[in-house]
Amino acid sequence: MYLTRFRINTARVTARRLLASPQNLHAAVMSGFADAPDPERDGARVLWRLDTSSDRAQTHLYIVSPAPPDLTHLVEQAGWPTTAPQGWKTYDYAPLLTRLAKGDRWRFRLTANPVHTARRNDDEPTKLTAHVGRHHQKKWLLDRQQAAGFQIVEKPLAQRALPDGDEHELLLHNRRQLSFSRGRPAKTVSLVTLTYDGLLEVTDPQAFRHTLTNGLGRAKAYGCGLITLAPA
């Protein structure tokens, strides 16, 4: 497995077009592989996520993949082809995955599509609906943590700012409502994404490795599901 970071030149018109459409950016990411990765064959899939710095000065594309990508086309479209022709860095992800152990604590970031099935009355079929309230958005992640091989660390009582709803080392931010076209004839896709930052503890290393290499939740083709780690 490999982890790749690519800095996007947001001043370029073609870069802004990619950033405006998760469908186009997904196609650009997948074009970085001569042979399309197969999750059944490789045991993992291609995951990607966009991160923007707090001052909006830098936007990075992160990719986790079974094979290293060639992002030459992205450098030409959305990078600095003259001054930084090798505009990305790829790291071997296997050493980190291998050394994961129960009890390890990591800072993490996840951009996800927190949804649930709902219907207005018994006569209607259920449909996917985005969680709106912070309580339900937080619960969406907490409900999946055990099967995903980790748990969100709880704060000491003295560090909780609120009597209820502030139990975990977890920050929810950057909620986005996305709308873009897909396929021919064009079909409009609407998507709500949310970024989670927090502190987790590994409870099942094997399950957690699967989560890191296969993603969490829905809309993985559109920049959701990738968990990245940093030392706690």
Side-chain angles (χ1 to χ4, degrees):
M1 293 298 297
Y2 297 88
L3 172 66
T4 300
R5 184 177 69 174
F6 174 87
R7 185 180 173 190
I8 295 178
N9 183 354
T10 55
R12 301 190 65 176
V13 173
T14 49
R16 294 198 294 270
R17 288 174 183 165
L18 287 174
L19 295 175
S21 172
Q23 172 68 17
N24 291 343
L25 190 49
H26 167 70
V29 168
M30 298 307 294
S31 295
F33 302 93
D35 298 314
D38 183 348
E40 292 188 6
R41 179 193 65 209
D42 302 322
R45 60 179 298 156
V46 176
L47 303 167
W48 62 271
R49 187 184 75 224
L50 285 173
D51 276 5
T52 301
S53 60
S54 58
D55 59 1
R56 301 286 175 179
Q58 294 188 18
T59 296
H60 286 97
L61 170 67
Y62 289 91
I63 302 171
V64 165
S65 55
D70 181 344
L71 302 182
T72 304
H73 63 296
L74 270 179
V75 175
E76 295 170 351
Q77 297 176 51
W80 288 265
T82 302
T83 58
Q86 182 65 25
W88 73 92
K89 292 183 178 180
T90 296
Y91 306 90
D92 187 355
Y93 207 25
L96 184 144
L97 295 174
T98 301
R99 72 170 184 262
L100 289 173
K102 185 175 181 179
D104 287 351
R105 289 192 172 190
W106 296 89
R107 289 286 171 188
F108 76 93
R109 171 166 290 178
L110 162 70
T111 293
N113 171 227
V115 295
H116 64 112
T117 55
R119 57 185 174 189
R120 289 175 296 182
N121 56 65
D122 293 339
D123 297 328
E124 287 187 351
T126 59
K127 68 174 183 177
L128 285 175
T129 305
H131 283 302
V132 177
R134 288 301 174 100
H135 171 77
H136 294 291
Q137 292 168 342
K138 180 179 177 180
K139 187 176 183 297
W140 177 90
L141 181 58
L142 296 177
D143 286 346
R144 286 156 178 77
Q145 60 179 350
Q146 182 177 357
F150 67 89
Q151 64 182 12
I152 308 299
V153 175
E154 293 191 7
K155 295 179 181 179
L157 288 173
Q159 295 181 12
R160 299 179 187 180
L162 301 171
D164 182 47
D166 192 34
E167 299 89 353
H168 296 87
E169 293 277 3
L170 189 61
L171 173 67
L172 284 61
H173 63 101
N174 197 29
R175 182 184 184 276
R176 299 181 66 200
Q177 175 77 52
L178 305 175
S179 183
F180 53 95
S181 297
R182 181 185 70 180
R184 296 188 181 185
K187 176 184 177 182
T188 300
V189 177
S190 295
L191 195 67
V192 173
T193 66
L194 183 73
T195 299
Y196 299 82
D197 285 345
L199 179 66
L200 63 77
E201 182 175 308
V202 179
T203 56
D204 183 336
Q206 183 174 350
F208 191 46
R209 290 186 195 99
H210 184 272
T211 300
L212 292 176
T213 56
N214 286 272
L216 184 65
R218 304 178 66 90
K220 297 182 183 72
Y222 302 126
C224 295
L226 170 59
I227 297 178
T228 51
L229 305 176

